[in-house]
Amino acid sequence: WYAVENSEAPTRETHMVQRAYYSGLIKQIDVEVGRIVDALDRKGILDNTVIIFSSDHGDYLGDHGLRGKGSFYEGACHVPMLVRHPDLGTSQVRDDLVTLTDVTATMLRLGGCDVPDYVDSVPLPGVGESDAPTREFVFGVLSGGWMLYDGTWKLVRYPQGTQLYHLEDDPDELHNRARDPECASILNEMDVRLTAEVMRSV
């Protein structure tokens, strides 16, 4: 769909075709990662290798009537993170707040190196580093906006306006609570944190 000029806007049918193609790409990635794991096993180094699998972004695939990426909607910014560590034993699912930058600190610590103070990165929790600090929130920056997410509430500021979502009650981000009087204190508190992060990052 992206590689072809289309005169009409996407419909539900074209979005479903996009999702089918996307699913095919995911299957292909699964096959290729399996080949890498098999190669590590054949060489006898699988049990001496930490594997971290993630992605830089997702795709709307029709969510919110959009395609592609470029905002802080979950479809674009909430990506998979899979870790295989030979010393961890049983599998587990965690809901800690992490970012892709945390892969850097994780690799440094697993390699026996200290994480420099100037690096905005902490080791992934549960990957053999019991003393690793945990994140209270995730901060994101795009050319057209900022985001702060604390695991429950997501605040996003764009030039076009502000969005506030309670993801536990509204996982599809359909109800913007930014103008809800009942959420004024939450909005203000998160805005202070967001502004502090923006100021710290410039």
Side-chain angles (χ1 to χ4, degrees):
W1 180 263
Y2 300 133
V4 178
E5 286 294 330
N6 294 282
S7 58
E8 303 295 330
T11 63
R12 183 181 187 283
E13 182 179 341
T14 53
H15 283 312
M16 295 307 289
V17 170
Q18 284 179 284
R19 287 175 182 250
Y21 288 154
Y22 198 78
S23 296
L25 293 173
I26 291 172
K27 183 176 181 180
Q28 179 187 8
I29 290 171
D30 186 56
V31 169
E32 299 300 339
V33 171
R35 288 176 176 165
I36 293 171
V37 172
D38 288 344
L40 293 170
D41 193 28
R42 286 195 308 273
K43 290 180 177 288
I45 57 175
L46 180 60
D47 289 334
N48 190 33
T49 302
V50 176
I51 300 172
I52 301 176
F53 177 91
S54 192
S55 175
D56 58 341
H57 64 82
D59 194 302
Y60 304 126
L61 297 173
D63 293 349
H64 305 279
L66 301 171
R67 60 190 175 95
K69 57 185 173 62
S71 78
F72 289 109
Y73 281 129
E74 288 288 277
C77 75
H78 193 159
V79 297
M81 172 74 76
L82 304 174
V83 179
R84 182 192 185 278
H85 193 307
D87 297 337
L88 289 183
T90 60
S91 62
Q92 55 182 294
V93 177
R94 302 184 64 110
D95 59 2
D96 304 86
L97 295 175
V98 299
T99 72
L100 287 176
T101 60
D102 295 339
V103 173
T104 300
T106 303
M107 291 192 298
L108 286 171
R109 289 291 289 271
L110 289 173
C113 301
D114 292 330
V115 180
D117 293 338
Y118 58 82
V119 175
D120 184 16
S121 180
V122 296
L124 293 169
V127 188
E129 299 292 334
S130 58
D131 62 335
T134 56
R135 291 185 177 275
E136 294 181 34
F137 55 82
V138 169
F139 170 64
V141 180
L142 292 170
S143 59
W146 303 300
M147 181 270 297
L148 187 84
Y149 174 55
D150 67 5
T152 301
W153 290 93
K154 180 193 287 186
L155 173 66
V156 183
R157 287 212 177 270
Y158 298 115
Q160 307 93 316
T162 300
Q163 297 176 353
L164 179 68
Y165 297 106
H166 188 277
L167 289 189
E168 289 183 359
D169 295 339
D170 182 24
D172 295 324
E173 298 169 292
L174 300 176
H175 307 289
N176 183 0
R177 308 286 297 278
R179 295 178 181 266
D180 185 342
E182 294 183 4
C183 300
S185 62
I186 294 168
L187 176 65
N188 291 336
E189 179 183 338
M190 294 194 71
D191 192 46
V192 168
R193 280 185 162 185
L194 178 59
T195 301
E197 283 300 303
V198 171
M199 296 298 288
R200 186 184 67 83
S201 67
V202 295

